[in-house]
Amino acid sequence: MSESILIADDEAPIRQSIKLALLWEPFETREAAELETAYQLLLNDPPSLLLLDIHFGQENSLALMRRMSAEGINVPFVVLSGAATASEAAQAIQLGAYDYLEKPLSAERLRLTIRHCLENARLQSVVQRITVDRNQNQEILGT
């Protein structure tokens, strides 16, 4: 099964350029042009990774990041923006963004960031499983 990437950006040309940059990569890509659509996809068919524009017209995706955290939606994400403030970028990182990429996007930097983010998520999953197994073994042994 290939990994899936949800591209959440209100600008169709940006979504298309990201899809083009990932054309030869082993990723299935899906798109969301609205924050609510992205949220529904996160709930119903979570991707391996979310590429999330910080600004959707007049909306700000920081609210979606907070909602993801509050609801335990554990999908790694990278924030994209061409006009975010330093404060918004810092907030995104504090809310769990793996990285922050400025537009216009470098295709190579995008691909590298995606690979690193997915590898980081895999490693975190392994550590979590080991920790759970270790805790269960300690409970069985009574230590």
Side-chain angles (χ1 to χ4, degrees), residues 17-63:
S17 69
I18 292 171
K19 285 180 73 168
L20 185 60
L22 301 176
L23 187 62
W24 300 107
E25 298 293 323
F27 307 124
E28 170 195 336
T29 56
R30 291 180 286 158
E31 299 179 43
E34 299 173 350
L35 283 175
E36 185 58 31
T37 303
Y39 174 70
Q40 290 302 319
L41 287 168
L42 288 167
L43 281 180
N44 299 318
D45 190 15
S48 306
L49 172 73
L50 170 63
L51 295 175
L52 181 61
D53 186 13
I54 204 159
H55 292 128
F56 274 75
Q58 299 301 315
E59 292 185 88
N60 185 303
S61 63
L62 291 170

Side-chain angles (χ1 to χ4, degrees), residues 3 21 35 38 40 52 55 63 66 71 88 116 118-119 122 124 127 135:
E3 293 174 301
L35 283 175
Q40 290 302 319
L52 181 61
H55 292 128
R66 287 186 191 95
E71 296 180 18
E88 288 172 324
H116 287 169
L118 290 170
E119 181 62 20
R122 281 189 288 273
Q124 285 182 350
V127 168
N135 290 341

Side-chain angles (χ1 to χ4, degrees), residues 60-118:
N60 185 303
S61 63
L62 291 170
L64 176 61
M65 293 176 222
R66 287 186 191 95
R67 195 173 182 186
M68 289 170 61
S69 178
E71 296 180 18
I73 299 172
N74 193 23
V75 172
F77 64 98
V78 174
V79 173
L80 314 172
S81 182
T85 65
S87 173
E88 288 172 324
Q91 286 179 59
I93 297 297
Q94 288 172 344
L95 290 168
Y98 175 79
D99 202 351
Y100 172 85
L101 299 177
E102 288 190 37
K103 297 176 187 174
L105 299 170
S106 154
E108 189 55 37
R109 171 112 193 266
L110 176 66
R111 288 188 290 265
L112 190 61
T113 299
I114 288 170
R115 285 187 208 115
H116 287 169
C117 183
L118 290 170

Side-chain angles (χ1 to χ4, degrees), residues 127-140:
V127 168
Q128 185 177 24
R129 281 195 307 269
I130 290 170
T131 302
V132 167
D133 289 347
R134 182 173 175 247
N135 290 341
Q136 288 175 344
N137 288 338
Q138 285 180 344
E139 286 177 12
I140 291 170

